[in-house]
Amino acid sequence: MHTPHRTRRAASHMWPALVAAAGLAATGLVAFSPTAGAEPQQAPAHRLTTARSCAVSTAPDLMACKALKVTSGTDSLALSARSAHPAAIPSGYGPSELRSAYAIPETGGSDATVAVVDAYDNPDAEADLATYREQYGLPACTTDNGCFRKVGQSGGSALPAPDPGWAEEISLDVDMVSAVCPACHILLVEADTSAMTDLGESVNTAVSLGAKYVSNSYGGGESGADTTYDTQYFDHPGVAITVSSGDAGYGVEYPAGSQYVTAVGGTSLRQDGSSRGWTDTVWGGAGSGCSAYDPKPGWQQDGECAGRTVADVSAVADPATGVAVYDTYGNDSGWEVFGGTSASAPIIASLYALAGTPSDGSYPASFPYAHTDALDDAVSGTNGECAGSYLCTGSAGYDGPTGLGTPNGVAAFTG
């Protein structure tokens, strides 16, 4: 087990600070736009601009999706996929790059169902998923062949109103499940609204329909209601529930702060000449820190947080090293590049699916803490100001922005 660095205690960020920081989360090559649908900012050469798919939440119990779409500067992407592949290949990392970076097995998951929980409807979700999978030579995943299923909040055919921003989130999520676990079945559960109560009921629906792996790419401010939400929606022994840590930098969001979930941080992922062939560093937008309300689970041993610490593990989230996504609903034209911890949460959920069914009564969030040797440590970068603490700084062993590290195969996600 890695031992965390112990430095001066850093205070948790409260919700007002999160809202204020949300429009300022900019790192490396990326300048973030503060709201959904905002016009791309003018940027100098070699800079990327992004827009949030969902407007920043202004209330603790109202969730926002964590997808960040690259709106300009795509040709300067650090990953430069188009220079390495024929022009027909979309810009952004695809399945082969993710499998290489994280040592993901080529097979497995055929008996697993990964649930994606999001708000509102994406009417084009199945059609767009088909295009993504065909592009990368993945097997078809459709309603007709039993691989894909879309339901409403209560598990029936009645679906919520469509929303272009959340549609982008849905496309990102189902594409990442496809990239990591092509044989997995996908269950898309669409909540009536982005309220925590509706999304939480959708998590319960996903579990009731048999999903053992549930991805949640949304978050909002912490509140005194969080421990109640924990009990009502996230305490599902034997089910791996992953949640995005946030895209506003240092500070904790809910439900990433829940003691029962795997909080997934974010990295910048770049190919290099190392023996691994890739390096992950802290992405400056990743959420991290000490929960103000949730208790620390028994498997966490870091020294500066009396309560729950975010995150647990991490994967690529930096839009400057973003992933390819196909989405056509609303004003979207097809192939786009996305980042945000919305990308990393479904990646980790799918790795849990490849690792095998969690045992009854287990809490899969604890699994990586028993297998730290099966994770690649991210040891550099920062996501904010915390007096140099591991809570916002990439460090040897555990740190807030990237948790225990990034996947090296599936062993870290087994019981």
Side-chain angles (χ1 to χ4, degrees):
M1 176 73 70
H2 291 293
T3 301
H5 289 244
R6 299 193 177 196
T7 52
R8 191 166 54 137
R9 182 179 181 88
S12 297
H13 283 202
M14 300 302 287
W15 177 235
L18 271 175
V19 174
L24 302 175
T27 64
L29 301 176
V30 182
F32 295 122
S33 300
T35 59
E39 289 297 320
Q41 301 175 17
Q42 294 300 314
H46 308 301
R47 287 180 64 87
L48 301 181
T49 59
T50 69
R52 300 178 183 277
S53 295
C54 300
V56 176
S57 172
T58 56
D61 58 352
L62 190 65
M63 302 292 109
C65 70
K66 299 303 167 185
L68 293 174
K69 180 170 66 175
V70 174
T71 55
S72 67
T74 302
D75 289 342
S76 66
L77 279 172
L79 55 114
S80 193
R82 283 180 177 154
S83 67
H85 300 288
I89 300 297
S91 191
Y93 288 142
S96 63
E97 287 89 1
L98 294 174
R99 285 197 296 266
S100 172
Y102 297 130
I104 299 171
E106 297 280 347
T107 60
S110 59
D111 59 347
T113 295
V114 178
V116 168
V117 172
D118 284 309
Y120 303 106
D121 180 37
N122 179 348
D124 297 342
E126 184 173 359
D128 287 351
L129 177 64
T131 299
Y132 179 90
R133 294 176 72 102
E134 182 180 11
Q135 172 68 47
Y136 292 109
L138 306 178
C141 186
T142 66
T143 300
D144 288 343
N145 69 14
C147 174
F148 178 81
R149 184 182 181 187
K150 180 169 75 168
V151 300
Q153 177 173 313
S154 299
S157 59
L159 301 175
D163 180 88
W166 280 90
E168 292 180 345
E169 177 63 66
I170 289 169
S171 293
L172 169 59
D173 291 346
V174 298
D175 286 357
M176 290 305 96
V177 175
S178 298
V180 174
C181 186
C184 284
H185 291 209
I186 299 174
L187 171 64
L188 172 60
V189 184
E190 297 180 330
D192 292 343
T193 74
S194 61
M196 185 65 255
T197 50
D198 287 338
L199 287 160
E201 287 186 18
S202 298
V203 171
N204 289 343
T205 292
V207 175
S208 72
L209 293 175
K212 295 293 185 180
Y213 321 94
V214 184
S215 176
N216 303 270
S217 292
Y218 55 83
E222 294 192 283
S223 77
D226 291 351
T227 53
T228 299
Y229 293 151
D230 280 355
T231 302
Q232 291 177 329
Y233 307 129
F234 296 106
D235 186 3
H236 290 289
V239 179
I241 301 177
T242 64
V243 179
S244 302
S245 72
D247 297 342
Y250 179 54
V252 174
E253 294 186 4
Y254 190 84
S258 170
Q259 62 181 308
Y260 298 118
V261 309
T262 301
V264 185
T267 66
S268 300
L269 174 67
R270 289 178 169 84
Q271 207 160 9
D272 61 17
S274 66
S275 58
R276 175 189 166 197
W278 300 83
T279 296
D280 285 280
T281 57
V282 171
W283 173 53
S288 71
C290 302
S291 172
Y293 297 98
D294 250 78
K296 182 178 289 296
W299 49 87
Q300 277 197 324
Q301 302 297 324
D302 62 298
E304 292 189 20
C305 289
R308 166 72 156 122
T309 314
V310 172
D312 297 306
V313 294
S314 54
V316 61
D318 186 351
T321 63
V323 297
V325 172
Y326 192 79
D327 179 70
T328 60
Y329 183 69
N331 295 322
D332 288 325
S333 58
W335 288 107
E336 297 169 312
V337 175
F338 278 84
T341 51
S342 277
S344 53
I347 288 173
I348 298 299
S350 303
L351 283 160
Y352 272 110
L354 287 170
T357 307
S359 60
D360 292 343
S362 67
Y363 284 97
S366 70
F367 296 173
Y369 290 84
H371 301 285
T372 57
D373 57 347
L375 295 161
D376 287 315
D377 204 359
V379 297
S380 63
T382 182
N383 68 343
E385 296 293 331
C386 62
S389 165
Y390 71 91
L391 294 173
C392 72
T393 306
S395 307
Y398 179 86
D399 62 66
T402 67
L404 298 164
T406 60
N408 181 3
V410 301
F413 306 99
T414 63

